[in-house]
Amino acid sequence: MKPMAHLGVGIGWRPEIADAVERLPGLDWVEVVAENICPGHLPEALLRLRERGTSVVPHGVSLGLGGADRPDPAKLAALGERAVALGAPLVTEHIAFVRTSSPVLEAGHLLPVPRTRDALDVLCENVRIAQDALPVPLALENIAALFSWPGEELTEGQFLTELVERTGVRLLIDVANLHTNRVNRGEDPAAVLDAIPLEALAYVHVAGGVERGGVWHDTHAHPVPPVVLDLLAALRSRVDPPGVLLERDDDFPPEAELAGELEAIRAVVTAGPAAGVRAEPAPEAAAEPEAVPEGAAEPESAAEPEAAAGPGFPVATEPARTRVALGQAALLSALVAGTPVPEGFDRARIRVQGRALAAKRADVVAKVAPELPGLLGGRAPYREAFLAYAKGRPMTAGYRRDALDFAEHLLIRDLPADPAARRRLTAWWRERAGVRPPRRVVRWARALAGRAA
């Protein structure tokens, strides 16, 4: 496998800290959440970063390559469009599942895949489909998890190693997630680092979190703790990472604190020689893909896997996909729809994860529809109303659809109780839904049907 181009030390770009990011000293690159940008309307702050030679890498969160279904071609095309628009050297995603198709449920979160042969076969085939569709190389991130699957057949190191061997995909190693899994699942980060092929390393994530009641929550909203920097140092002792990136998604600190966290990361990365593979120097700028003249042969894809699956590797059979689908559907239904927890799972941990998913869902809906808390009298009454709604209404589409469904749910029940607030919510819902709100007879019928269910 060819060494990865050098990226340096970077930070996750978010609109809330866009001005601060531009002023951070010594910043080499940034990463953006792919789903949060539009290729034809890139933020001016991102364009300015690109103009001064700062690399930008799109980081996807919605493909669900660990899910039982094959990747959605539209989502792959959208991720590829963002890579081209940003002149990105690669794109990244996660080793996770995020939805099921039977029943149709959305987690709104990255959930762990079982480390089984069936799940690995499905993941490898999905990764190869994605690689064929993307215009640049793909790297996948290890995720943080609150719980483990019963009956796992492989360790994390074995799972990641075989994934790389079978697909040639690169790895994005999140050392904060290694720490999370040490606390929550009893896994040894050193054993993972010793087992995985570090020559496949694309870059590294570093982030903060918090421990509550013996559970580590990977919040991306707290300072990076010393224990995570220690894991970065442990990785650094094994390999010279091509890039290291600070993730911060919420509760953004003052600019000076962000700069201090980056400096602490830079100090670990530059502290002494490391064994193993070293990265290539970075090109001056990522080249835009060249158009192919009509009638000419297509060039070899930039995303062509560097080690294709050989004849000795199994492929995902339809029975394997069915087994993975059944397991994931049973788990996700327990998490978001209140069905019984499948046999073998830690029920207490599943309850914690379910509450965390509902809370995250409420927070994200408040971000995509910031008017709702105000319409409902403030953050506390909004949150109370939304969590009550979420108990019986699993998310089946995106967060914007969820916001509209929540508002309709309230209107059907003649809520809010204050008529003026209800009129304002009706106007808000009508403007965004593009239809008339249900009449009172319809509201009564739906309410009675809901009680009967």
Side-chain angles (χ1 to χ4, degrees), residues 364-438:
V364 177
V365 166
K367 285 183 178 180
V368 301
E371 306 88 354
L372 284 175
L375 290 169
L376 298 179
R379 180 173 176 80
Y382 157 78
R383 193 174 182 83
E384 181 181 356
F386 189 90
L387 292 178
Y389 153 79
K391 283 183 180 178
R393 297 293 188 278
M395 186 164 60
T396 58
Y399 285 110
R400 296 186 189 281
R401 180 72 253 172
D402 204 23
L404 291 173
D405 289 346
F406 169 55
E408 183 179 3
H409 167 84
L410 294 177
L411 293 173
I412 288 170
R413 285 154 180 77
D414 282 332
L415 296 172
D418 175 51
R422 192 161 62 250
R423 284 194 297 271
R424 290 193 295 271
L425 182 62
T426 298
W428 181 91
W429 180 84
R430 180 186 296 170
E431 180 182 345
R432 286 153 184 81
V435 295
R436 294 182 62 83

Side-chain angles (χ1 to χ4, degrees), residues 6 15-16 28 42 48 72 100 102 106 131 133 154 193 229 249 262 272 297 300 307 401 416 419 432 439:
H6 180 76
E16 298 90 336
D28 299 311
L42 295 177
R48 288 193 295 270
D72 182 345
T100 59
S102 181
E106 288 279 347
Q131 288 170 318
L154 302 165
L193 293 176
L229 289 177
D249 294 335
L262 279 176
E300 186 176 352
R401 180 72 253 172
R432 286 153 184 81
R439 295 181 178 180

Side-chain angles (χ1 to χ4, degrees), residues 93-341:
E93 249 286 356
H94 300 83
I95 301 169
F97 82 99
V98 298
R99 66 181 62 85
T100 59
S101 59
S102 181
V104 176
L105 295 172
E106 288 279 347
H109 189 70
L110 303 165
L111 295 174
V113 301
R115 299 187 195 118
T116 61
R117 287 289 169 191
D118 280 349
L120 180 59
D121 291 347
V122 168
L123 174 64
C124 287
E125 183 178 347
N126 289 350
V127 168
R128 289 193 290 270
I129 292 169
Q131 288 170 318
D132 288 343
L134 293 168
V136 294
L138 171 68
L140 295 181
E141 178 181 351
N142 61 304
I143 71 162
L146 286 176
F147 60 88
S148 297
W149 282 79
E152 293 194 323
E153 300 164 338
L154 302 165
T155 66
E156 177 82 338
Q158 291 169 334
F159 195 86
L160 295 178
T161 298
E162 193 163 332
L163 170 64
V164 171
E165 289 174 350
R166 291 171 61 170
T167 65
V169 76
R170 291 190 178 275
L171 296 176
L172 191 181
I173 296 299
D174 189 317
V175 291
N177 291 351
L178 292 179
H179 173 64
T180 301
N181 294 340
R182 169 167 54 193
V183 176
N184 294 349
R185 305 203 288 187
E187 296 173 357
D188 180 7
V192 177
L193 293 176
D194 286 339
I196 61 177
L198 290 173
E199 66 274 12
L201 183 65
Y203 59 89
V204 180
H205 272 174
V206 179
V210 63
E211 186 171 350
R212 299 190 189 100
V215 174
W216 186 270
H217 297 271
D218 179 47
T219 63
H220 294 188
H222 292 78
V224 177
V227 67
V228 171
L229 289 177
D230 289 344
L231 284 177
L232 176 62
L235 183 147
R236 176 68 178 85
S237 71
R238 292 164 170 81
V239 68
D240 186 0
V244 181
L245 183 121
L246 171 65
E247 286 189 294
R248 189 72 180 242
D249 294 335
D250 209 347
D251 290 342
F252 299 102
E255 186 174 330
E257 289 186 30
L258 282 177
E261 288 205 296
L262 279 176
E263 188 53 42
I265 290 169
R266 189 175 288 108
V268 173
V269 173
T270 58
V277 181
R278 294 187 178 273
E280 294 178 331
E284 290 186 3
E288 297 285 354
E290 296 182 4
V292 180
E294 188 174 354
E298 289 281 348
E300 186 176 352
S301 169
E304 187 70 23
E306 296 171 77
F313 288 125
V315 296
T317 63
E318 289 309 312
R321 284 192 180 273
T322 298
R323 289 189 292 268
V324 171
L326 290 172
Q328 292 180 347
L331 173 62
L332 186 51
S333 182
L335 287 169
V336 302
T339 58
V341 177

